[in-house]
Amino acid sequence: MTIKTIFLDRDGVINIEKNYLHKIEKFEFIDGVFDSCTYLLKLGYKIIIITNQSGIARGYFNENDFNILTKWMLEEFTKNKIDILDIFHCPHSPSSTCYCRKPRPGMFLNAKEKHNVDMKNSWAIGDKEADIKAAFDSGIKKTILVRSGHEIDESKSNAKHFMNSIKDVHQVIFK
C-alpha cells in the first residue's frame, strides 16, 4: 500500500532561514508550522523532511551537530503531537555531483523507495526553485513555493502554488 506524503524543506519552510543553522538556540520555528502540520496529518498525509545541509561539507558544522539539532527539532514536533515519518539530508556542497543534493531528486526517490510513497498524490513545499525541480523530477507535480525563506521570482518559477508561509497551507491543500 502506498502513502501520500507532504515533503517539507527545512530551512525557510519549517524554521526561519538562517545560513548554516546548526545550533538549537538559533532555531526558530516558522509561525503556524505546528498547526499546519497537524492539519496535514488530519488530511491523511505523512510528513517527510528533505533538506540540503552543505554546511557539513563546508566545515561549518558536522554530522553530529546536525543530528543533535534534528533530534531536538523532532522532539518539538512530538511535543506538539506531530509524527514526522522521516528526514533525509544531503551533506554535500553545491559543487558536488552527488545524486541527493537538490535540485537533483535523490532524496525524494530514496524516500519513495523506503516508504512506498505515492508521488502522484504527494506534495512538496519548499522555499527555493531547487526544491521544486527536485520534487518535479521525482514525480511530484503538486508543488508549493513559500515566500518565508529565500527570495523567489514567481514569474520564473515552476511551482504550481505560492504561499507566504506554511501557515497558509490550508488555502492550497484541502480535501
Side-chain angles (χ1 to χ4, degrees), residues 29 33-42 45-47 73-85:
F29 285 99
V33 69
F34 296 126
D35 290 339
S36 292
C37 287
T38 299
Y39 168 79
L40 293 168
L41 291 172
K42 286 180 181 174
Y45 290 95
K46 301 292 184 186
I47 297 172
M73 179 186 71
L74 293 174
E75 288 170 354
E76 294 301 305
F77 275 107
T78 299
K79 286 179 190 173
N80 284 277
K81 298 179 175 53
I82 297 164
D83 179 40
I84 302 297
L85 179 61

Side-chain angles (χ1 to χ4, degrees), residues 70-143:
T70 298
K71 182 178 184 286
W72 173 83
M73 179 186 71
L74 293 174
E75 288 170 354
E76 294 301 305
F77 275 107
T78 299
K79 286 179 190 173
N80 284 277
K81 298 179 175 53
I82 297 164
D83 179 40
I84 302 297
L85 179 61
D86 210 338
I87 182 165
F88 293 81
H89 78 286
C90 172
H92 306 113
S93 72
S95 61
S96 171
T97 58
C98 70
Y99 188 59
C100 55
R101 183 173 173 79
K102 295 179 284 181
R104 293 177 205 96
M107 288 187 284
F108 286 91
L109 295 173
N110 289 343
K112 175 186 177 185
E113 185 175 316
K114 181 177 179 181
H115 296 290
N116 201 23
V117 176
D118 176 358
M119 301 304 253
K120 287 185 178 178
N121 288 307
S122 293
W123 289 79
I125 303 174
D127 71 324
K128 287 198 235 178
E129 196 62 26
D131 301 317
I132 303 308
K133 181 170 179 5
F136 188 83
D137 288 350
S138 71
I140 297 172
K141 307 301 185 231
K142 300 175 185 175
T143 56

Side-chain angles (χ1 to χ4, degrees), residues 56-71:
I56 296 169
R58 296 170 197 251
Y60 298 150
F61 56 97
N62 60 39
E63 285 280 344
N64 190 54
D65 296 326
F66 173 78
N67 290 333
I68 289 168
L69 178 64
T70 298
K71 182 178 184 286

